[in-house]
Amino acid sequence: GAVVSQHPSWVICKSGTSVKIECRSLDFQATTMFWYRQFPKQSLMLMATSNEGSKATYEQGVEKDKFLINHASLTLSTLTVTSAHPEDSSFYICSASVGTEPQHFGDGTRLSIL
Amino acid sequence: RKEVEQDPGPFNVPEGATVAFNCTYSNSASQSFFWYRQDCRKEPKLLMSVYSSGNEDGRFTAQLNRASQYISLLIRDSKLSDSATYLCVVSPNDYKLSFGAGTTVTVRA
């Protein structure tokens, strides 16, 4: 089946650091990639939707200058959490899809900001 | 009001038991419905899509009630490996997914 890889799987860093998370579709070309965030015991919340070569569409309440998304190719999207603070600690998950086919999820990145 | 609401559980059942739970959704224009499974600290994985007529996949049966805007999942002959959080997912179109917070099921030996 379709494979989506996320890297790194776990990050611990100091407050104020910027953290980049990569999402790669390994065996297919994804027309759309999605970034979600999940706090403990809560649902996945869509942060933004990105299409290759165009600007990401951010959900209401998500700061685009804080969460930078780059989708430079059909197999790679990156999310950069700029100047991360403890409240940004969360589980970040990407997914990728082709057209209207079901989304395939990456294995997630656990971000802990000290 | 949340777009998708679920009973968080947990539902603690013995092996072999049947367990069922629902979720409700607020957007009457929703078109696609799914159940995902999420294990602790892992990514969600698609369990099954939910069709208007109801559908079955092995021990799992899903039902959709558009009039009352709820979806159900029934697990028969529970296995220890069924222990997980089950996420109800609704989509108003073909690509944007709204997740419930999940229902936790624990199957005990």
Side-chain angles (χ1 to χ4, degrees):
Chain A
V3 178
V4 176
S5 172
Q6 253 183 268
H7 178 80
S9 56
W10 203 328
V11 182
I12 302 173
C13 55
K14 292 181 180 179
S15 185
T17 307
S18 291
V19 179
K20 181 187 280 189
I21 303 170
E22 290 187 350
C23 178
R24 292 181 185 272
S25 56
L26 298 184
D27 53 357
F28 67 101
Q29 294 190 319
T31 50
T32 308
M33 286 187 169
F34 305 84
W35 287 96
Y36 296 84
R37 181 169 53 181
Q38 185 179 32
F39 292 106
K41 298 189 185 298
Q42 294 187 27
S43 57
L44 274 75
M45 296 299 297
L46 180 65
M47 299 175 68
T49 303
S50 77
N51 294 296
E52 182 262 342
S54 58
K55 287 185 180 180
T57 303
Y58 288 81
E59 294 300 300
Q60 193 173 11
V62 178
E63 301 172 55
K64 63 180 183 190
D65 296 328
K66 169 82 174 174
F67 299 98
L68 301 178
I69 292 173
N70 183 282
H71 193 165
S73 77
L74 285 171
T75 58
L76 173 64
S77 176
T78 61
L79 167 68
T80 301
V81 183
T82 61
S83 187
H85 291 285
E87 59 267 28
D88 298 322
S89 299
S90 188
F91 189 47
Y92 292 84
I93 309 176
C94 73
S95 71
S97 67
V98 179
T100 58
E101 290 183 10
Q103 296 178 29
H104 301 282
F105 285 85
D107 39 14
T109 296
R110 195 158 299 279
L111 177 62
S112 297
I113 307 297
L114 305 176
Chain B
R1 184 185 171 188
K2 293 180 183 176
E3 286 190 58
V4 182
E5 298 211 49
Q6 292 183 248
D7 179 347
F11 288 77
N12 293 307
V13 300
E15 263 189 299
T18 295
V19 59
F21 41 88
N22 296 337
C23 94
T24 58
Y25 60 95
S26 59
N27 186 350
S28 59
S30 298
Q31 298 187 22
S32 303
F33 309 89
F34 311 91
W35 282 103
Y36 276 73
R37 171 194 169 125
Q38 186 175 29
D39 294 296
C40 188
R41 297 175 178 267
K42 299 283 182 122
E43 77 280 15
K45 295 187 178 178
L46 179 63
L47 180 65
M48 59 194 300
S49 300
V50 186
Y51 303 117
S52 297
S53 54
N55 50 299
E56 202 173 287
D57 184 357
R59 297 181 293 107
F60 299 85
T61 301
Q63 296 280 352
L64 167 63
N65 185 318
R66 283 188 185 271
S68 302
Q69 295 182 207
Y70 78 80
I71 308 152
S72 65
L73 180 67
L74 182 145
I75 307 173
R76 283 188 305 277
D77 188 23
S78 301
K79 310 289 184 193
L80 293 176
S81 56
D82 294 333
S83 297
T85 297
Y86 291 86
L87 308 177
C88 176
V89 181
V90 173
S91 179
N93 50 39
D94 287 328
Y95 66 92
K96 194 168 180 179
L97 302 180
S98 294
F99 285 78
T103 297
T104 299
V105 172
T106 303
V107 182
R108 61 183 189 275

